[in-house]
Amino acid sequence: MTDHEHGEHATSEHAHPGAKAYVGIAVILTVITAFEVAIFYIPQMHPVLVPSLLTLSALKFTLVVMFYMHLKFDHRLFSWLFVMPMILAAAVILALMKLFGVF
Amino acid sequence: MAVAAHAVPHAAHPPTSTGLNSRKMLFWAFLGSECMFFGSLIATYLVYRGRDQVGPHPHEIFSIPFTSFSAFVLLMSSLTMVLALAAIQRGDQKKGSLWLAATALLGMTFVGGQCYEFTEFFYKGLHLQTNLFGSTFFVLTGFHGTHVTVGVIWLWTLFTLAVRGKIPKEKALDVEIAGLYWHFVDIVWIAIFTLVYLIQ
Amino acid sequence: MTTTTAPVAAPAATHEAGSPSGLWSWLTTVDHKRIGVLYGVTAFIFFLIGGIEATLMRIQLAKPENTFVSPDVFNQLFTMHGTTMIFLAIMPLSASFFNFLVPLMIGARDVAFPRLNAFSYWVYLFGALFINASFFLGGAPNTGWFGYSNLTSSQFSPGHGVDFWAVGLQILGIASLAAGFNFIITIVNMRAPGMKLMRMPVFVWMTLVTSFLIILAFPVITVALVFLLFDRLTGTNFFQPAMGADPVLWQHLFWLFGHPEVYILILPAMGIVSEVLPTFSRKPLFGYPVVVYSGIFIGFMGWGVWSHHMFAVGLGPIADSFFALSTMLIAIPTGVKIFNWIATMWGGRVELKTAMLFAVGFISMFIMGGLSGFMHASPPADLQQTDTYFVVAHIHYVLFGGSMMGIFAGLYYWFPKMTGRMLDERLGKAHFWLTLIGMNVTFFPMHFVGLLGMPRRVYTYAPNMGFDAMNMMSTIGVFGIILALLFFIANVLKSRASGKPAGNDPWGGSTLEWAISSPPPPHNFGTIPTVHSLDPLWAKDGAEITRTAGQVRGPIHMPPGSIWPLVAALGMTMLMSGMVFGWYVGIPGLVIMLTGLYSWSFEPCD
Amino acid sequence: MTPSRRRSKPLRLAAGLLVLGALALAGCALKDYPQSTLTPHSDLAWAIQHLLEQLTFWVVLIFVLVEGMLIVTVMRFRSRPGSPEPKHVHGNTALEVAWTIAPALILTFVAVPTVLTIFKTQAKAPAGSLEVKVVGHQWWWEFQYPGQKIVTGSELHVPVGRTVALSLETADVIHSFWLPIVGGKRDVVPSRTNHIWFTADSVGVFPGTCAEFCGISHANMHMKLFVDTQKDFDAWVAAQQQPPIEPDSTSLAGKGKAMFLEVGCAACHTISGLSPGIIGPNLTHVGSRTSIAGSTYPNHPEYVSQWLANPQARKPGALMTNLGLKPDQIAALTAYVESLK
């Protein structure tokens, strides 16, 4: 965490994407969800089920956070406040799974 | 203070060191904290998965088409939420209140679906006490459902205010923060849907 | 308590709130300084209660096969001693310093969310009363402050003790979380102009790191306690081995919280010492950025070491090695801090006032605690030491020799600022030396009695084990600590009665709080200073800052008091205690809480 | 207080503490401190001891250096009348680097043997080890020798010089198995099996205890390790494998046997060929043990009678039922129990 805030223009008044962009994102989210469910039902996809589902849901996650929650356009400090704990939470999940021999 | 003064979005608030609104910052920190909360719940679910001594097991119980629809409903509520915010930020409280209502209704649909799902599972023999799957599943999704319910109450409160014209442009932050909460609840469901339902 | 508002020399008409007195003004206060005092006084009372619990245990252990207290009472005592000292004494004592000092040190008029701050205190008070009420309502918790599953299950711990513990910790967790959020935002957002992050006093930095640890660690224990409560109240199987569950999960979740918690307890004291040493060495802190980064690194690494509390569990050689190495790594930033503190004094003009004695005592005792910690960072060695009195010695060198010495250093240093009156140096020095001798007589023999095979958490021991003499010595030492505390209390009373007026800056400190009167006026700074350096009052414009800080130009708006945080806190405590007492407490609690929150949200403020 | 007196106090204190420590360590004879961790009697305990010695060396060295530095600094730079105003030094990069690297180096010296010892002591037990299954109970230890078909409680017999592989389990809550002279502790955890193996290197009787808090009588959950010569061990095994002694039915012990079945002891205790209970310790050869009640009291008729009369008085929270026995019943049962050599 540095102190770039000082003397810089605060960025909370950035132009947000308009309704059109929001709907576009929603369409993408819907398509990804459909894709996920499809993967679940197609036996041929099962060898890559876990990695592909994880990738797709991470993509959805990112889209919502970046555009609907405006992190892409907002001040970097907010990203820090959210992303660091998220990484920590993910690390905790992975560490516990490892310690309990899930993988 | 001249440095930060021009960056202050709301005249009512004293200027801050970063020029960022304190309430919004508090809320992002809160969401960071919530990450650890849901992270611990999800970790427990994943650690205990497959250790059940007795059924029912996830694959005997989950209805993927139904939950996919619920997940879709919640995703769409994120869209209506962001549209509500955009309207309020433009100063259009009428449209804003409509989108807020739509979001709340979608949220209620999701919670209703969850109630239906829980009842269904209950009759199929999966109780809170049946096995580890029952305990971890109901507590994890139950806490998520509680979050959605709190969000729905919050949204209706904002709706009432917006209808009465009490959320002008200058107070858009109130809606923005509710939106952050709502989207967070949505992304938690994105994670739960994948990790709990699809990857069995 | 009421006396802290005595000599406010602020010009009239400067602020709307004024400085009212009386009970109502304390119940409704949102002033960070008053909340700090409330925190401090309450936490000190609980520190004494925890001390009484410890004394009773030490009397029981003074000789082998003693029957001073029953085994069950002994188990309640050590459980409540740990819980009290950690959650009701040291954390809130640190919170007291955060509250009183952080806004002053960063040049702010208050914290970012004054009413949330009041809420945090009241939740802490009610949670503390709730958890201690268990003593009178069928028995206090008796499964240790760590509450290892599956001993805490309803099968092995029937009765309400564990419920009180779990619900009490949930309530206290909410208080800590509220405070954690508040101080993060306050520090990031409320700094005076020119106070960049790397110009913040180290104490403020450590508050920031601690607050982050709080908001990230408490959710984990919250989840673990939710599981425990579900298991006990609804019959779920989170920790039921018969259903395939693994009780070790509790340990992982608990220590995932518990190790950051250790740093939550020690980092504030490190921050205090980093303020005291430069002032009494007449020299700036040596290697400020390194000390700050070390603190951040310690906080960060605190997340990667939790399983070193679990080496005996049998996690396998790979996990043991990983957690051993990560734990040893923490020794580096800790060592670096100690070297920098010593280097701060090197070449300085060291004035051994009481505050400084405690700060030096902190370093000296913390080295001991750190080194014994280093010994059980090595898993094979730890297997002989864990769960013995060796570890009891270690934690007390860290938490008593470390945290408490640091807190006393801070008390002697800032007491004049808080009350406007000086403490007596002679009584203070007696307090210090008795504390130092008392704690070493008490805790040093524990290293040996542990290495010689005495396990911890035992209410009795056999006479032929060679434990007798050292246990007697430890018990005698406790009375030295008690005597020391009597000197401290006498000192405070004397200062209230006839202490010398402190003036703005009795020690010649470098940080902003010394620029204003003691005790500070409700609005803190008449004119918010502009900061140009790390040690503003020692810099060229220091005199200028001091001159203008008291001058009021134009009206100052301070937030009005509010009773609603108290109401909301009371309702929330009742709601949650309904899990133990039943719906007829829970439902009214819900109503009271919603009333409080609703009135709070729609109350005009800011 | 004069300055000189004040200054010498920390020194005197430090010296006092050092002397005290030296005395304590010098007096660590096993007869005075039977449960000491500092008197290893097995390969495992020695491995730990060697590591501990290295750790102690570094720790004492660092302690003396840093505390010395601290005291010297405070004394040398004490404020005196006329001391000059100090120069405002803000830091020194070379120094910072030096005192970051120095501890890192020391860490390496400790970390390498630590990891080696971890892997050495946690490797699989060598084939042909004597296998014993340890089960923790609230509040006593059970020892099962599957190869020898022996089940006993509170007293573990092993032959000297032969590797013993323990597998550790629990019947109820978490306990921690700890025999300091053979090595570090290992928790017994529900739904897990832990392992520890060691080769005892000298004959003797050594106490051990539960080290993890496990409820009200945690302090009374002891055990004894008997390291026997191979010959003694074989004799012990042979004796334990015998069926229980059959008392003359007219003797007091014979009455006790009838009483054993009559008052309900049989529901919880196994006596080979007589009763199948598995909740309490196996009593087939209880008379041959040296202690009772989780190795809390000597196995002596007086203690046995007191125990039977009111178990909770001797051991708080003991799960053995207080059967409200009359004095003549207690006498008979005591005689029977004592006869089960």
Side-chain angles (χ1 to χ4, degrees), chain C residues 312-313 320 340 350 364 386 451, chain D residues 37 67 77 79 96 122 185:
Chain C
V313 170
D320 280 2
N340 276 297
V350 177
S364 166
T386 185
L451 288 174
Chain D
T37 65
E67 294 279 6
F77 296 100
S79 166
E96 301 285 0
Q122 295 192 28
K185 45 190 89 65

Side-chain angles (χ1 to χ4, degrees), chain C residues 1-348:
Chain C
M1 285 199 289
T2 49
T3 41
T4 47
T5 53
V8 181
T14 54
H15 44 83
E16 296 154 25
S19 45
S21 53
L23 182 64
W24 184 252
S25 76
W26 284 93
L27 295 179
T28 58
T29 187
V30 294
D31 180 342
H32 69 98
K33 298 178 289 299
R34 287 184 150 205
I35 293 171
V37 170
L38 286 173
Y39 255 115
V41 171
T42 315
F44 189 74
I45 291 170
F46 280 108
F47 175 68
L48 295 181
I49 292 174
I52 292 169
E53 287 156 0
T55 310
L56 296 177
M57 282 192 283
R58 276 314 328 162
I59 294 174
Q60 163 72 10
L61 293 175
K63 57 185 181 119
E65 295 180 344
N66 202 357
T67 52
F68 178 70
V69 294
S70 74
D72 187 48
V73 167
F74 186 89
N75 295 343
Q76 293 178 26
L77 287 174
F78 79 69
T79 303
M80 286 304 288
H81 169 70
T83 307
T84 301
M85 287 307 195
I86 289 166
F87 295 101
L88 310 184
I90 299 181
M91 274 182 80
L93 278 170
S94 305
S96 159
F97 285 103
F98 297 170
N99 264 293
F100 201 97
L101 291 163
V102 165
L104 298 180
M105 286 181 141
I106 61 174
R109 292 237 157 85
D110 207 323
V111 294
F113 303 96
R115 288 178 303 172
L116 185 66
N117 205 22
F119 175 75
S120 164
Y121 167 73
W122 295 113
V123 173
Y124 153 64
L125 175 67
F126 295 140
L129 293 176
F130 170 79
I131 205 166
N132 275 285
S134 61
F135 274 118
F136 311 102
L137 298 170
N142 57 1
T143 53
W145 86 278
F146 49 94
Y148 269 12
S149 161
N150 56 337
L151 183 62
T152 49
S153 64
S154 356
Q155 184 192 349
F156 295 107
S157 294
H160 277 322
V162 176
D163 297 327
F164 269 102
W165 179 76
V167 174
L169 288 195
Q170 294 286 47
I171 297 171
L172 293 167
I174 290 165
S176 305
L177 282 166
F181 291 125
N182 211 342
F183 284 103
I184 291 175
I185 312 306
T186 302
I187 293 167
V188 173
N189 240 2
M190 308 282 284
R191 282 164 287 144
M195 179 165 280
K196 297 180 177 172
L197 289 177
M198 289 314 279
R199 282 182 192 161
M200 294 195 313
V202 175
F203 177 72
V204 177
W205 260 112
M206 292 306 110
T207 306
L208 185 63
V209 175
T210 304
S211 301
F212 270 106
L213 290 176
I214 287 174
I215 70 160
L216 299 176
F218 271 81
V220 185
I221 186 79
T222 302
V223 167
L225 291 167
V226 162
F227 293 161
L228 176 62
L229 285 167
F230 262 95
D231 268 10
R232 289 181 63 87
L233 302 176
T234 74
T236 49
N237 340 298
F238 287 103
F239 304 119
Q240 296 296 329
M243 298 298 283
D246 192 340
V248 173
L249 178 67
W250 167 271
Q251 298 186 24
H252 280 297
L253 293 176
F254 183 82
W255 291 117
L256 254 166
F257 149 79
H259 203 80
E261 173 69 20
V262 172
Y263 296 135
I264 292 170
L265 297 170
I266 194 69
L267 286 175
M270 290 180 163
I272 290 172
V273 167
S274 305
E275 300 304 325
V276 173
L277 289 173
T279 299
F280 293 102
S281 307
R282 313 294 314 147
K283 201 169 149 278
L285 186 71
F286 194 86
Y288 166 87
V290 184
V291 173
V292 168
Y293 290 135
S294 299
I296 298 173
F297 185 68
I298 291 173
F300 186 75
M301 285 303 294
W303 291 95
V305 300
W306 77 87
S307 285
H308 70 210
H309 297 268
M310 302 164 59
F311 283 146
V313 170
L315 300 173
I318 296 171
D320 280 2
S321 303
F322 174 85
F323 286 106
L325 295 180
S326 62
T327 304
M328 289 181 182
L329 210 54
I330 290 192
I332 298 177
T334 314
V336 165
K337 278 198 165 204
I338 289 170
F339 292 131
N340 276 297
W341 288 328
I342 295 177
T344 303
M345 291 185 279
W346 187 271

Side-chain angles (χ1 to χ4, degrees), chain D residues 44-65:
Chain D
L44 175 60
W46 274 115
I48 293 173
Q49 182 82 352
H50 290 314
L51 196 59
L52 186 71
E53 280 162 9
Q54 295 180 53
L55 279 165
T56 311
F57 167 77
W58 286 113
V59 161
V60 170
L61 184 74
I62 298 168
F63 178 78
V64 170
L65 284 179

Side-chain angles (χ1 to χ4, degrees), chain C residues 71-72 75 78 142-144 146 148-151 156 241 244-248 251-252 281-290 311-318 320-321 324-325 328-332 335-336 338-340 342-343 345-352 360 363-365 367-368 371-372 374-388 397 429 433 436-437 440 444-445 448 450-460 464-467 470 473 534-535 538, chain D residues 1 6 9-10 13 17-18 20-22 24-25 28 31-38 45 47-48 51-52 55-56 58-60 62-63 66-67 69-70 72-74 76-80 82-92 95-96 99-101 103-104 106-107 110-112 114-115 117-119 121-122 138 171-174 176 178-192 194 207 209-220 222 297 314-316:
Chain C
D72 187 48
N75 295 343
F78 79 69
N142 57 1
T143 53
F146 49 94
Y148 269 12
S149 161
N150 56 337
L151 183 62
F156 295 107
D246 192 340
V248 173
Q251 298 186 24
H252 280 297
S281 307
R282 313 294 314 147
K283 201 169 149 278
L285 186 71
F286 194 86
Y288 166 87
V290 184
F311 283 146
V313 170
L315 300 173
I318 296 171
D320 280 2
S321 303
L325 295 180
M328 289 181 182
L329 210 54
I330 290 192
I332 298 177
V336 165
I338 289 170
F339 292 131
N340 276 297
I342 295 177
M345 291 185 279
W346 187 271
R349 210 176 70 196
V350 177
E351 284 178 71
L352 287 182
V360 175
I363 302 177
S364 166
M365 294 299 105
I367 292 169
M368 293 272 300
L371 288 173
S372 58
F374 183 59
M375 285 174 82
H376 39 252
S378 176
D382 178 69
L383 291 180
Q384 288 283 32
Q385 294 160 5
T386 185
D387 281 316
T388 71
Y397 271 88
K429 279 176 180 153
W433 286 110
L436 187 73
I437 294 166
N440 279 293
F444 196 73
F448 295 105
L451 288 174
L452 294 175
M454 179 159 165
R456 65 196 289 202
R457 301 176 186 125
V458 291
Y459 73 89
T460 188
N464 53 357
M465 305 298 281
F467 303 155
M470 281 176 277
M473 190 170 160
L534 187 53
D535 303 301
W538 288 355
Chain D
M1 230 187 253
R6 226 185 300 163
K9 240 180 177 168
L13 188 72
L17 291 177
L18 278 177
L20 191 86
L25 281 170
C28 286
K31 72 173 168 50
D32 299 324
Y33 305 102
Q35 207 159 280
S36 170
T37 65
L38 304 174
I48 293 173
L51 196 59
L52 186 71
L55 279 165
T56 311
W58 286 113
V59 161
V60 170
I62 298 168
F63 178 78
V66 182
E67 294 279 6
M69 224 155 68
L70 179 69
V72 166
T73 310
V74 171
R76 181 165 161 205
F77 296 100
R78 272 290 293 281
S79 166
R80 292 176 185 83
S83 311
E85 190 65 21
K87 263 214 319 240
H88 279 200
V89 185
H90 282 275
N92 181 316
L95 270 176
E96 301 285 0
W99 60 48
T100 308
I101 290 177
I106 296 175
L107 282 184
V110 177
V112 172
T114 290
V115 172
T117 311
I118 291 174
F119 278 88
T121 52
Q122 295 192 28
Q138 278 182 326
D172 36 55
V173 299
I174 298 177
S176 193
W178 189 31
L179 284 166
I181 64 109
V182 299
K185 45 190 89 65
R186 198 45 92 186
D187 292 354
V188 298
V189 184
S191 78
R192 288 188 179 220
N194 272 330
T209 191
C210 171
E212 183 67 80
F213 181 69
C214 55
I216 184 164
S217 245
H218 163 60
N220 300 318
H222 303 298
Y297 300 103
R314 302 301 307 178
K315 188 173 171 183

Side-chain angles (χ1 to χ4, degrees), chain D residues 107-331:
Chain D
L107 282 184
T108 325
F109 290 131
V110 177
V112 172
T114 290
V115 172
L116 292 177
T117 311
I118 291 174
F119 278 88
K120 193 174 114 194
T121 52
Q122 295 192 28
K124 256 197 147 54
S129 310
L130 172 69
E131 284 178 23
V132 183
K133 183 172 158 188
V134 178
V135 184
H137 295 260
Q138 278 182 326
W139 289 272
W140 57 282
W141 293 98
E142 178 177 346
F143 302 109
Q144 305 173 4
Y145 297 68
Q148 288 71 22
K149 301 207 172 16
I150 296 172
V151 179
T152 181
S154 296
E155 296 185 355
L156 173 65
H157 285 254
V158 302
V160 71
R162 180 171 171 200
T163 305
V164 182
L166 305 179
S167 57
L168 306 159
E169 291 174 13
T170 175
D172 36 55
V173 299
I174 298 177
H175 306 275
S176 193
F177 178 86
W178 189 31
L179 284 166
I181 64 109
V182 299
K185 45 190 89 65
R186 198 45 92 186
D187 292 354
V188 298
V189 184
S191 78
R192 288 188 179 220
T193 304
N194 272 330
H195 301 277
I196 202 171
W197 56 270
F198 63 89
T199 314
D201 61 17
S202 41
V203 172
V205 184
F206 310 100
T209 191
C210 171
E212 183 67 80
F213 181 69
C214 55
I216 184 164
S217 245
H218 163 60
N220 300 318
M221 187 169 165
H222 303 298
M223 64 185 131
K224 271 188 194 166
L225 172 72
F226 289 76
V227 182
D228 302 330
T229 60
Q230 188 65 46
K231 204 172 126 230
D232 289 350
F233 180 72
D234 292 339
W236 178 79
V237 168
Q240 296 290 311
Q241 285 170 334
Q242 295 298 313
I245 282 166
E246 198 59 48
D248 180 349
S249 64
T250 57
S251 69
L252 191 58
K255 282 194 195 120
K257 183 183 169 190
M259 202 73 69
F260 185 86
L261 295 169
E262 191 184 311
V263 297
C265 310
C268 296
H269 293 282
T270 298
I271 290 181
S272 188
L274 183 69
S275 66
I278 51 160
I279 294 168
N282 184 311
L283 301 179
T284 309
H285 294 283
V286 65
S288 69
R289 296 180 206 151
T290 63
S291 59
I292 60 162
S295 205
T296 315
Y297 300 103
N299 189 359
H300 182 278
E302 191 189 329
Y303 287 109
V304 174
S305 326
Q306 287 174 3
W307 174 252
L308 289 170
N310 186 354
Q312 285 72 27
R314 302 301 307 178
K315 188 173 171 183
L319 297 180
M320 176 153 150
T321 322
N322 184 345
L323 294 167
L325 300 171
K326 295 182 194 69
D328 60 318
Q329 292 174 313
I330 292 171

